[in-house]
């Protein structure tokens, strides 16, 4: 919940900074057009101002690029990793519930009709498959957990 909001706000901040940069670029262009229609003294002053404003926008462009590369992209990757891990956990829980259900069913049939060998022999195979799927899901989750630990903040801003 909070991570999603943080990602959205960070992306919105980056977009707004980029829009501000675009508007300032338009302002610089308008200033240069205006400077070409004025007297030499005013032309020089307005052109100097437009050039300074363009330099500021170059820094803003660098800021936008840094934000996209160092903050937004790693957050996207981390968000996808979290979604994948949640899906794996859900699969694990379903496999575990299925395994428990199979084991309960096997025990129930064993108690109910111990003479029905055909059913009793086929149920452990189904239970084995459920157990295997559960174990497989556990392995996947154990491998994914170390990736979920966020990197230190210094790694993002270096």
């Amino acid at each position: 919940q909070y991570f999603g909001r943080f990602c959205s706000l960070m992306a919105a901040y980056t977009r707004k900074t980029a829009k501000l940069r675009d508007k300032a670029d338009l302002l610089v262009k308008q200033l240069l057009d205006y400077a070409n229609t004025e007297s030499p003294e005013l032309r020089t002053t307005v052109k100097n101002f437009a050039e300074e404003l363009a330099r500021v926008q170059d820094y803003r462009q660098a800021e936008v690029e840094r934000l996209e590369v160092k903050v937004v992209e790693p957050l996207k990757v981390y968000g996808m990793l979290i979604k994948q891990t949640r899906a794996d956990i859900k699969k694990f829980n379903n496999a575990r519930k299925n395994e428990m259900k199979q084991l309960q069913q096997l025990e129930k049939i064993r108690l109910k009709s111990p003479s029905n060998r055909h059913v009793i022999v086929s149920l452990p195979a189904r239970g084995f498959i459920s157990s295997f799927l559960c174990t497989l899901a556990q392995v996947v989750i154990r491998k994914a957990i170390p990736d979920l630990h966020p990197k230190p903040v210094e790694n993002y801003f270096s």
Side-chain angles (χ1 to χ4, degrees), residues 77-131:
V77 170
Y78 190 65
M80 289 187 298
L81 183 64
I82 287 174
K83 284 181 183 178
Q84 182 61 41
T85 304
R86 281 184 182 159
D88 290 343
I89 289 171
K90 190 174 183 178
K91 285 179 190 175
F92 168 70
N93 284 336
N94 289 338
R96 190 182 58 161
K97 286 178 186 176
N98 193 18
E99 179 186 22
M100 295 301 290
K101 189 187 296 183
Q102 291 288 336
L103 291 174
Q104 287 173 352
Q105 187 179 13
L106 174 64
E107 195 58 36
K108 207 184 268 186
I109 290 176
R110 279 186 184 161
L111 292 174
K112 202 180 244 186
S113 58
S115 61
N116 192 351
R117 287 183 180 261
H118 176 67
V119 175
I120 292 175
V121 169
S122 69
L123 282 176
R126 283 193 256 159
F128 175 75
I129 291 170
S130 297
S131 178

Side-chain angles (χ1 to χ4, degrees), residues 9-20:
L9 287 173
M10 202 63 192
Y13 175 77
T14 303
R15 283 191 303 272
K16 286 185 180 184
T17 304
K19 284 181 185 177
L20 182 61

Side-chain angles (χ1 to χ4, degrees), residues 28-43:
V28 167
K29 185 177 181 285
Q30 287 292 334
L31 285 170
L32 290 174
D33 289 344
Y34 173 71
N36 290 331
T37 63
E38 291 301 316
S39 64
E41 301 86 30
L42 185 58
R43 179 181 305 147

